[in-house]
Amino acid sequence: MAAQIFAHKTTALTNPPNYAFTSHRLCRTLHTSTKQPIVLVACGSFNPITYHHLRMFEIAKDFIQQNTNFEILGGYLSPVSDEYKKAGLVSAHHRVNMCTLAAEQESSWLMVDSWEALQNYQRTAIVLDHFDYEINTVLGGVSTRDGERDVQIMLLAGSDLIRTMSEPGVWSHDDLDHILGHHGTFVIERTGAALDQVVDNLARWRNNIYPIAQQVHNDVSSTKVRLFFRRGLSVQYLLPAAVIDYIEQNNLYPDDGPCTEKDRGKDSESGEDDTTSSESGRNVQSTLGTETTRLSN
């Protein structure tokens, strides 16, 4: 059943210089009038984007079509700002370009939005409100047989995100209520990580949290891809060929040369993954030390 839509109109937000909202693949007509129109938004570092990021949208799409009363009108990748200041994070300019190459060449319905990437730190709730404003206020929502209708903006994330949401003090209650209560989220479960207890801890928003199990487990991460680049190993078939070419042309993840056993130990102990932070994690003044909370890799 579709999540309840709360009466809400997002006000205009400040845009970066020369910013334009991307909507060339956004479906503007609802095909089934009895369904609730939605747009999926995935926020993350995408450092770099991998096939797993793209697969998450397809996994969610299959689940939505088979198990819900939603109709997907589009999907967006929203790379995090440089203000995240994560070690090894290449510039937003490059990450937006890599995401654009991947979306345009590998998908028929995904798009990239640079609003979050090209300015200072923005909370997840504000990022979702930005999409709400652009799609429902500026573009006028979606056309139906009965006239225009608002589109529900929903967060697509990995299970690490929802786990941090269940931890006291990591996210503000107001932001949780806005993200989970007003917008809602689809959560792709990581391999071997059930979410039952986590969802129980967020019971008041249970109806707007949709856990999705991976039918084919995939543990490809941007962290591992960067490690492969640093060691001069092949990353073919882990990420789109156009993205690989872009990385090599711009020397984004330089080869560190042969690594020692000591280096291998550091890599395995770091616990780093690459997909953005929670609200305290994304704050430049206080980071969680990992990027694995908004979009799982």
Side-chain angles (χ1 to χ4, degrees):
M1 180 178 293
Q4 178 183 1
I5 304 301
F6 297 92
H8 174 81
K9 276 293 182 181
T10 304
T11 57
L13 300 167
T14 302
N15 288 334
N18 303 315
Y19 168 79
F21 184 68
T22 303
S23 61
H24 63 295
R25 288 177 168 174
L26 185 66
C27 183
R28 303 298 305 281
T29 302
L30 187 66
H31 293 125
T32 306
S33 60
T34 57
K35 292 191 173 183
Q36 170 61 43
I38 65 170
V39 163
L40 300 179
V41 176
C43 305
S45 297
F46 305 113
N47 186 40
I49 188 169
T50 71
Y51 276 125
H52 180 51
H53 293 126
L54 302 178
R55 276 294 302 160
M56 289 180 69
F57 280 92
E58 297 299 324
I59 293 169
K61 184 178 181 181
D62 285 343
F63 175 86
I64 289 165
Q65 290 177 340
Q66 296 177 10
N67 299 281
T68 75
N69 196 42
F70 295 123
E71 183 175 316
I72 302 176
L73 303 184
Y76 284 90
L77 298 155
S78 179
V80 70
S81 164
D82 288 339
E83 291 299 314
Y84 178 57
K85 297 188 183 300
K86 177 71 176 180
L89 185 69
V90 301
S91 74
H93 166 77
H94 288 308
R95 289 181 288 111
V96 168
N97 286 347
M98 287 188 285
C99 286
T100 301
L101 285 170
E104 292 298 321
Q105 297 191 21
E106 301 290 337
S107 174
S108 62
W109 63 286
L110 297 182
M111 295 162 282
V112 180
D113 182 66
S114 63
W115 185 84
E116 180 184 6
L118 301 181
Q119 56 183 324
N120 294 329
Y121 159 77
Q122 298 292 332
R123 302 190 331 273
T124 305
I126 299 300
V127 174
L128 297 179
D129 279 352
H130 152 71
F131 282 96
D132 189 305
Y133 174 76
E134 292 291 343
I135 292 172
N136 289 321
T137 302
V138 177
L139 296 180
V142 62
S143 297
T144 73
R145 290 182 300 181
D146 301 319
E148 300 297 317
R149 193 152 132 204
D150 277 356
V151 177
Q152 184 175 359
I153 310 302
M154 301 190 71
L155 182 67
L156 174 64
S159 58
D160 289 333
L161 165 67
I162 208 72
R163 291 183 188 283
T164 65
M165 286 183 170
S166 70
E167 297 173 5
V170 178
W171 296 67
S172 75
H173 182 274
D174 287 347
D175 276 3
L176 285 178
D177 194 50
H178 193 65
I179 295 167
L180 301 180
H182 174 66
H183 291 292
T185 182
F186 292 94
V187 185
I188 308 299
E189 295 183 355
R190 292 175 70 90
T191 303
L195 292 176
D196 294 348
Q197 182 59 53
V198 175
V199 175
D200 285 344
N201 292 340
L202 299 167
R204 67 178 299 171
W205 302 291
R206 182 189 301 274
N207 290 339
N208 273 5
I209 301 172
Y210 298 83
I212 306 175
Q214 294 191 66
Q215 300 303 313
V216 178
H217 294 308
N218 185 341
D219 65 351
V220 174
S221 71
S222 298
T223 300
K224 293 175 182 177
V225 168
R226 294 195 303 272
L227 178 60
F228 277 29
F229 272 112
R230 291 201 303 269
R231 294 181 177 175
L233 302 176
S234 172
V235 294
Q236 197 72 26
Y237 311 121
L238 297 179
L239 58 164
V243 175
I244 296 175
D245 290 343
Y246 184 91
I247 291 170
E248 292 176 343
Q249 291 165 9
N250 292 278
N251 194 30
L252 298 185
Y253 308 108
D255 183 351
D256 287 343
C259 68
T260 64
E261 290 298 322
K262 182 178 179 181
D263 293 330
R264 290 191 181 94
K266 288 180 179 178
D267 290 328
S268 63
E269 293 169 5
S270 66
E272 181 197 15
D273 206 341
D274 178 81
T275 44
T276 344
S277 65
S278 67
E279 295 317 283
S280 65
R282 296 177 66 230
N283 190 315
V284 177
Q285 302 302 320
S286 173
T287 62
L288 291 171
T290 66
E291 301 177 44
T292 56
T293 57
R294 287 174 69 191
L295 174 67
S296 171
N297 254 346

